[in-house]
Amino acid sequence: MKKILLKISGKTVIIILKKTGLLLASILLLFILLNWIFPVPDRIEYSVVITDNKSEIINAYLTGDEKWRMMTSLEEISPLLQKTIVAKEDQYFFHHPGVNPLAVARALFNNIFHMRRTSGASTITMQVARMLDPKKRTLLNKLVEMFRAFQLELKYSKKEILRLYLNLVPYGGNIEGVKAAALLYFNKNPDHLSLAEITALSIIPNRPSSLVMGRNNDRIILERNKWLKRFARNKIFTKKEIEDALSEPLDARRHEFPHYIPHLAYKLKKRGGNTYATSIDLNMQLKTEKLVKDYVRNIRLKNIRNAAVIIIDNKTHKVITYAGSSDFSDSLDGGQVNGAEAIRQPGSTLKPLLYGMCFDEGLLTPKMVITDVPVNYQGYAPENYDEKFNGWVSVEYALDHSLNIPAVKSLKMLGKDRFTQKLIRCHFQQIKKDQEKLGLSMILGGCGASLEELTGLFSSFANNGILFAPSFLETDTHPDSLEVLSPAATFMVNEILSKVNRPDFPLNWSATEKMPKIAWKTGTSYGRRDAWSIGYNKNYTVGVWAGNFSGTGAPDLSGANIATPLLFKIFNTIDYDTENEWFSPPADCDTRQVCSETGLPPSEHCTNLILDHFIPLVSPAKTCHHLQEILVSSDEKISYCKVCVPANGYKKKWMRIIDQDMQAWYTENRIAFEKIPPHNPDCEVVFRGKAPKISSPTSHAEYFISKKNPEPLLLSCKTGNDVSKVFWYIDDQYYKTSNPEEKLFFIPREGTVKISCTDDKGRNSNISIIVKIVDL
């Protein structure tokens, strides 16, 4: 009988175990299915927090639901904070699977026995579930809350769940999370809170409307002390810790978060992260902002209402000051516009890069001579800022005087596309977008750039030609780098831009006695809409823009007289009276004697020699030939070639060879120069050399001529100084003979017209134009 009973009992146990296992498996499968269908809603929006280079909060933004909810990192949860919260909220937190069955049973018994809700069973995990997915307190919702708690325990560690709790727990008003509460009430991070402060904060979520920091501090102290005494009875903390906490006063009140660097803060906020540890030096930022605000206040009478400044630390390559306007709160003049990232015309600020590239390509050196005379590139005829021309000038003179004609010539010589690609590699975004539309005018400001881009570019001049992408964040420890110029070319540019005796030195500036040595370049955009001045030394690169966000120009707006004084004021503030350590010549830069007339290595006939920097094996090595031996008659009225030179009655004379552009400019300005006498008229040799250059009309251009009142077109050319007569042909038909400097006019026919010009040496040049007859 016993054996039969044992068999039956054994079978019953097996059946029960099977059913239990099947039930548990079914529950597990159901949980997995529900977990897949209804994933835990754990996407939390946090406030964006901006800190400076000392990790102090300098700006913060509310979440989309108008909450101060800041992410607390695991490192900010101190052992004291964890111990206190767990002791108060859920002492078995680290031992249950998200739901405490004993607490549930106790709460169920007490609530049924008293016929009302007298105690809860919510664990920290269940509270997190409720805060992630708020619902009314019903039995069904409590079951959903338990399900969510199991989901959280499956997905996160206990530490991470505790962090979620500390990020979401409400602390009155629109404050959620212990970090926001600690900062707004105690002005400190959560890991620096004391036991008394943590306990005071922990009681607020239960009664947020009646326990308000700064308003009900006495009542909060009473509630805090009750919990501290309970901790003492449970021996959670030592007697000394409890006594210190009980005696600690509570002078907390709600503070406001600062709102510094608003332009940069908003720029970073748009990236979509939560916390940005910037490299901003707040002390320097505030000093610069005050300088900019005061300076703009003084120039408002000139109808110049805004300015922007960026400062880069050249040793760390970090942006340490960022002022997007003169006053963010000025809504009348667009103070919220970020002038530091706005795309504007850069004026002449790109010229240093151009000349540096020409140095590296072996096209130019600082003392090489280039002509500053009128030019015309297929209808594009640039002019200098002062609408004057200077004839022969050195490259360094052209750069430190910011002459436009030599810059355009240099860009033509280097190649516009090569220059554009360099700027694109330097992260000039608007130039990248417009690269197919850009022409030679880009070197004079006919393109788009921002203060951020230009200041970053100039910082490369302070780092041996290496561009380290300027960073706003302390966490960017390995910025991208790019060799913009060689160290030698960079040094040459630095030497030119550090000269003080130049026209863009601001008028009436006298505070230079202890001002640090800097190199700087100014720029003024077309229509006087933008004024730029960007300067640097070994320590800092400072970029300044001034103007109006509306794009309105101002007669007094210029880089020299508006932007540069502010640049100097900033350098005098941030780098005042420092040691004037300057850039040393690099190994790839050397000096040589050159002829002062051309800037080329001298020949035996060069008498005026000067020193010039050059790059060995790169810079031009061709010797100077500005003087040429000419065979002339004894009265110097006729010149001869070696074929027609007579046996006697002639002499040799060294004469300067003047190119066509310079000769035309001399003639137009009535400047006397020594011309090569007309060639022997009896000579039958056809000469080689430069043919006349037709300067008007423009080759391949379209001309619209009125049918009723046709306007004649100008015929003009540029020739060498050995030419005395030129012969004009229209469509291969002889038209007229003139002196090289004489201007002729003709009325063309409709269609494609061929124009030819031949000098008295038989050298010829041709162009064609398209003429359209219209009713005007």
Side-chain angles (χ1 to χ4, degrees):
M1 189 69 179
K2 287 182 179 180
K3 289 181 178 179
I4 293 170
L5 289 172
L6 285 171
K7 284 182 179 180
I8 294 171
S9 299
K11 287 181 178 180
T12 304
V13 170
I14 291 171
I15 291 170
I16 292 171
L17 288 174
K18 285 183 177 180
K19 288 184 176 181
T20 303
L22 185 61
L23 178 63
L24 291 175
S26 300
I27 292 172
L28 180 61
L29 288 172
L30 179 62
F31 175 79
I32 293 172
L33 180 62
L34 291 174
N35 184 54
W36 178 69
I37 297 174
F38 305 106
V40 60
D42 55 358
R43 295 187 64 178
I44 306 168
E45 181 190 0
Y46 292 104
S47 297
V48 177
V49 178
I50 314 292
T51 62
D52 65 3
N53 61 353
K54 296 179 181 178
S55 300
E56 298 291 331
I57 292 180
I58 54 176
N59 209 327
Y61 290 90
L62 290 165
T63 60
D65 55 352
E66 301 293 316
K67 302 287 187 182
W68 287 117
R69 185 190 302 121
M70 297 181 174
M71 180 181 285
T72 307
S73 65
L74 291 173
E75 293 75 21
E76 291 176 310
I77 303 176
S78 65
L80 177 62
L81 176 59
Q82 174 180 304
K83 186 177 181 181
T84 307
I85 294 300
V86 170
K88 180 180 179 299
E89 294 296 328
D90 185 2
Q91 59 182 319
Y92 299 109
F93 171 68
F94 288 99
H95 305 289
H96 61 65
V99 177
N100 187 342
L102 295 177
V104 171
R106 183 186 68 247
L108 185 62
F109 174 78
N110 288 337
N111 294 344
I112 293 174
F113 182 77
H114 292 95
M115 299 301 291
R116 60 186 176 86
R117 186 177 182 276
T118 60
S119 63
S122 292
T123 62
I124 285 178
T125 312
M126 291 171 67
Q127 291 183 61
V128 171
R130 185 167 63 248
M131 288 184 287
L132 286 173
D133 190 16
K135 296 179 183 295
K136 290 183 179 180
R137 294 197 175 189
T138 65
L139 180 60
L140 178 60
N141 288 338
K142 180 61 72 172
L143 293 175
V144 173
E145 191 178 297
M146 292 180 181
F147 168 71
R148 293 297 192 195
F150 288 128
Q151 285 183 299
L152 288 167
E153 292 282 345
L154 182 67
K155 187 173 184 178
Y156 296 104
S157 68
K158 287 289 186 179
K159 276 269 192 181
E160 290 170 332
I161 293 172
L162 180 61
R163 184 176 72 120
L164 283 172
Y165 172 82
L166 292 173
N167 283 338
L168 294 170
V169 63
Y171 285 104
N174 64 341
I175 301 174
E176 290 186 3
V178 69
K179 184 169 184 174
L183 290 165
L184 283 169
Y185 291 139
F186 298 106
N187 200 25
K188 59 176 69 174
N189 283 320
D191 54 341
H192 292 127
L193 292 173
S194 67
L195 174 59
E197 291 167 340
I198 295 171
T199 308
L201 283 177
S202 69
I203 63 176
I204 293 176
N206 298 325
R207 297 162 59 187
S209 59
S210 60
L211 298 177
V212 180
M213 285 282 188
R215 189 188 305 166
N216 310 115
N217 282 10
D218 292 340
R219 196 180 304 169
I220 293 173
I221 290 174
L222 291 175
E223 294 295 325
R224 178 200 72 180
N225 291 347
K226 287 180 183 179
W227 275 99
L228 288 171
K229 289 172 184 178
R230 185 179 297 183
F231 292 156
R233 287 195 300 271
N234 296 335
K235 297 182 179 180
I236 296 173
F237 298 101
T238 65
K239 183 178 180 182
K240 179 69 168 58
E241 288 174 326
I242 296 296
E243 288 176 353
D244 290 343
L246 287 169
S247 62
E248 185 174 315
L250 181 66
D251 57 357
R253 61 181 178 82
R254 178 160 179 167
H255 301 86
E256 296 294 330
F257 285 118
H259 292 285
Y260 299 124
I261 59 165
H263 296 95
L264 179 58
Y266 184 70
K267 179 184 177 74
L268 294 173
K269 177 179 179 287
K270 290 191 294 184
R271 293 185 178 181
N274 295 317
T275 302
Y276 294 99
T278 73
S279 51
I280 294 297
D281 182 326
L282 186 58
N283 182 47
M284 188 178 294
Q285 173 80 25
L286 296 178
K287 286 181 179 178
T288 304
E289 284 182 359
K290 187 176 187 309
L291 278 174
V292 174
K293 189 173 184 178
D294 292 345
Y295 185 75
V296 170
R297 187 185 300 116
N298 291 332
I299 62 175
R300 281 180 182 270
L301 293 176
K302 299 178 179 180
N303 198 32
I304 304 166
R305 301 179 176 277
N306 246 305
V309 173
I310 290 179
I311 302 177
I312 298 174
D313 186 322
N314 290 331
K315 294 181 174 63
T316 65
H317 320 300
K318 306 285 187 185
V319 175
I320 54 177
T321 294
Y322 190 101
S325 70
S326 59
D327 184 1
F328 185 81
S329 62
D330 181 6
S331 58
L332 183 64
D333 292 312
Q336 292 79 37
V337 175
N338 187 351
E341 70 173 359
I343 301 298
R344 316 287 294 194
Q345 288 187 352
S348 298
T349 54
L350 296 176
K351 290 176 182 176
L353 174 64
L354 169 64
Y355 287 115
M357 291 179 66
C358 289
F359 295 157
D360 274 335
E361 292 297 325
L363 301 174
L364 299 171
T365 62
K367 290 293 195 298
M368 276 187 65
V369 173
I370 192 169
T371 56
D372 177 30
V373 295
V375 292
N376 190 309
Y377 296 106
Q378 295 184 345
Y380 175 55
E383 293 182 341
N384 287 322
Y385 183 75
D386 59 3
E387 299 181 353
K388 298 178 181 178
F389 300 95
N390 298 272
W392 279 308
V393 295
S394 67
V395 169
E396 66 177 5
Y397 183 94
L399 178 54
D400 68 37
H401 283 66
S402 198
L403 300 180
N404 290 341
I405 310 302
V408 173
K409 285 186 175 181
S410 299
L411 182 58
K412 177 73 173 176
M413 185 166 40
L414 176 70
K416 183 267 297 182
D417 290 338
R418 181 179 295 180
F419 186 64
T420 301
Q421 289 305 311
K422 177 73 76 173
L423 289 170
I424 291 172
R425 292 177 64 199
C426 294
H427 315 296
F428 281 71
Q429 297 303 318
Q430 191 62 39
I431 288 177
K432 182 178 182 180
K433 292 178 183 177
D434 298 338
Q435 57 182 305
E436 299 299 327
K437 300 184 289 184
L438 298 176
L440 295 177
S441 64
M442 68 180 297
I443 196 59
L444 309 183
C447 57
S450 70
L451 183 63
E452 290 179 6
E453 294 165 344
L454 288 169
T455 309
L457 174 64
F458 273 70
S459 71
S460 69
F461 302 151
N463 287 283
N464 285 321
I466 305 297
L467 172 61
F468 296 91
S471 170
F472 302 115
L473 304 178
E474 285 288 293
T475 51
D476 293 340
T477 54
H478 300 289
D480 296 335
S481 62
L482 166 71
E483 184 178 62
V484 178
L485 299 174
S486 69
T490 304
F491 175 76
M492 295 179 196
V493 170
N494 294 345
E495 289 297 288
I496 296 171
L497 295 184
S498 60
K499 294 178 181 292
V500 177
N501 185 22
R502 45 197 262 201
D504 61 351
F505 193 88
L507 300 172
N508 303 321
W509 178 264
S510 58
T512 58
E513 183 178 351
K514 292 185 177 181
M515 180 178 167
K517 183 177 181 179
I518 66 169
W520 82 97
K521 181 71 185 77
T522 62
T524 306
S525 70
Y526 178 77
R528 295 180 180 265
R529 294 183 176 92
D530 307 278
W532 306 85
S533 190
I534 306 172
Y536 57 93
N537 60 13
K538 280 209 162 186
N539 297 324
Y540 303 107
T541 299
V542 180
V544 173
W545 169 87
N548 297 305
F549 291 140
S550 64
T552 304
D556 295 322
L557 185 64
S558 71
N561 295 323
I562 296 298
T564 301
L566 179 56
L567 176 79
F568 286 5
K569 285 175 181 288
I570 292 171
F571 264 109
N572 261 350
T573 300
I574 66 175
D575 211 23
Y576 179 73
D577 200 20
T578 58
E579 294 183 6
N580 284 336
E581 183 184 2
W582 195 243
F583 306 100
S584 302
D588 61 340
C589 183
D590 206 345
T591 56
R592 66 183 180 186
Q593 283 191 326
V594 296
C595 175
S596 63
E597 301 294 331
T598 61
L600 293 171
S603 63
E604 57 181 321
H605 301 289
C606 298
T607 56
N608 297 322
L609 304 183
I610 54 176
L611 284 177
D612 188 19
H613 292 292
F614 79 108
I615 306 175
L617 304 179
V618 174
S619 297
K622 182 179 68 173
T623 56
C624 173
H625 292 292
H626 76 287
L627 295 178
Q628 183 175 321
E629 188 181 59
I630 305 297
L631 304 176
V632 297
S633 60
S634 56
D635 59 1
E636 298 186 6
K637 291 184 177 181
I638 296 176
S639 62
Y640 303 103
C641 65
K642 292 181 180 179
V643 175
C644 67
V645 63
N648 50 50
Y650 74 94
K651 62 182 180 180
K652 297 178 180 180
K653 184 175 182 179
W654 288 94
M655 302 184 70
R656 178 158 192 171
I657 304 302
I658 302 174
D659 62 26
Q660 299 168 341
D661 289 343
M662 277 300 299
Q663 184 171 321
W665 182 70
Y666 277 148
T667 302
E668 186 174 339
N669 289 273
R670 298 179 181 178
I671 299 174
F673 65 97
E674 189 174 30
K675 291 184 178 182
I676 297 176
H679 192 69
N680 180 10
D682 297 327
C683 181
E684 298 180 354
V685 175
V686 176
F687 286 82
R688 295 179 180 178
K690 288 186 178 180
K693 182 179 179 182
I694 299 175
S695 54
S696 177
T698 302
S699 181
H700 303 299
E702 282 190 0
Y703 290 86
F704 294 88
I705 305 296
S706 171
K707 189 174 183 180
K708 293 182 180 180
N709 300 298
E711 289 284 339
L713 296 183
L714 170 67
L715 291 175
S716 65
C717 67
K718 296 176 181 178
T719 65
N721 59 345
D722 59 343
V723 176
S724 58
K725 294 286 183 182
V726 293
F727 309 92
W728 291 95
Y729 297 84
I730 308 297
D731 291 329
D732 296 325
Q733 298 294 317
Y734 172 75
Y735 180 62
K736 281 185 180 180
T737 301
S738 69
N739 296 325
E741 62 274 10
E742 186 178 350
K743 292 179 172 58
L744 301 178
F745 293 89
F746 80 106
I747 298 177
R749 62 171 177 80
E750 188 170 18
T752 301
V753 179
K754 179 183 178 182
I755 300 171
S756 306
C757 183
T758 305
D759 64 16
D760 53 11
K761 303 295 185 295
R763 296 170 296 201
N764 179 76
S765 60
N766 303 303
I767 66 166
S768 63
I769 61 173
I770 298 174
V771 178
K772 294 183 179 180
I773 307 296
V774 295
D775 293 320
L776 294 176

